[in-house]
Amino acid sequence: MKLRLFSAYLAAMAAVFFLYCPVAMAAAREKEPEIQHIVVTTSEGVLRLSASIQGAMTRTLLKDLRGGNTLTFVFSVELVRRDSGWFGASLHRSSLTHTLLFDQEKEEYVFSTPDTRDTPRRTTSLTQAGQWMSTFSQIPVAELSSLVADAPYAIHMQAVLKPGKLPFNLGRFVPIAQISGIQTDRRTIEFRY
């Protein structure tokens, strides 16, 4: 009797494994979004940052977009002056938001930023829309006059592609609005000005 139960248990576990295996393999093939092509420049007396996110348009986000949801990518930047200690002093924080929606009537993607909300860009190409969404250009980080010569600095950056939510509408009762989601790892660039 015990041998039959054990055999049935092993057969059930094998069935679950083989059913789950293709899903796990597909998820493993899809790379995590990553910040790349980081460029720090100066222009007009301002330290600026440009970067792009590789692997930003995941299957989950594309499914949400085609389902009528608006995608919002938030790219956050923090400038820190490194002291001799473990932590540094935060000098400036900024963020840039990109928004994309799919107009099902016209079958085109509509891209906007806070500055271009009244005049959004439109395209029928998902590739073009993905490039617009995942490229952050010339984000102002700090006025050059506020930086001390030959001091160590660091720029921390991260992109949140889809904020996670608490299950079962617990966000109404718990002061934490998100617990996970699709986001990049936090990247840091260290430099001396």
Side-chain angles (χ1 to χ4, degrees):
M1 177 76 172
K2 288 183 180 179
L3 185 61
R4 284 187 181 168
L5 285 174
F6 183 70
S7 297
Y9 174 75
L10 283 179
M13 292 302 291
V16 167
F17 174 77
F18 287 115
L19 289 174
Y20 178 73
C21 193
V23 173
M25 288 174 41
R29 274 188 243 119
E30 191 170 279
K31 292 183 178 180
E32 292 292 318
E34 177 182 17
I35 298 174
Q36 294 184 347
H37 308 113
I38 302 165
V39 178
V40 179
T41 59
T42 59
S43 70
E44 301 175 2
V46 177
L47 183 70
R48 298 181 184 274
L49 176 72
S50 298
S52 65
I53 304 167
Q54 295 300 112
M57 300 302 281
T58 64
R59 287 186 195 136
T60 303
L61 294 179
L62 290 175
K63 182 179 176 183
D64 287 351
L65 181 64
R66 285 295 191 152
N69 293 328
T70 300
L71 294 184
T72 302
F73 290 3
V74 179
F75 190 77
S76 301
V77 177
E78 178 183 22
L79 176 65
V80 176
R81 181 172 176 192
R82 294 277 196 185
D83 293 329
S84 59
W86 185 263
F87 296 102
S90 179
L91 299 176
H92 182 75
R93 289 183 181 172
S94 63
S95 63
L96 182 61
T97 303
H98 288 180
T99 305
L100 184 68
L101 62 93
F102 182 68
D103 186 340
Q104 294 180 348
E105 291 177 9
K106 296 180 181 178
E107 292 190 7
E108 62 185 10
Y109 300 93
V110 182
F111 168 81
S112 66
T113 65
D115 296 336
T116 64
R117 190 157 286 142
D118 296 334
T119 57
R121 290 190 242 172
R122 297 175 174 270
T123 183
T124 57
S125 168
L126 177 59
T127 303
Q128 180 69 49
Q131 287 175 351
W132 291 342
M133 280 296 281
S134 62
T135 303
F136 295 87
S137 298
Q138 300 293 315
I139 299 172
V141 177
E143 296 285 331
L144 293 177
S145 61
S146 67
L147 302 180
V148 177
D150 203 35
Y153 292 95
I155 297 176
H156 303 296
M157 63 198 93
Q158 184 174 26
V160 176
L161 311 179
K162 181 179 181 182
K165 300 288 183 194
L166 287 170
F168 309 114
N169 270 340
L170 288 176
R172 294 186 303 164
F173 308 108
V174 180
I176 301 170
Q178 55 188 47
I179 55 171
S180 65
I182 300 174
Q183 60 188 12
T184 65
D185 288 336
R186 184 174 171 182
R187 296 285 308 265
T188 300
I189 300 291
E190 295 183 0
F191 67 96
R192 286 187 175 272
Y193 173 68

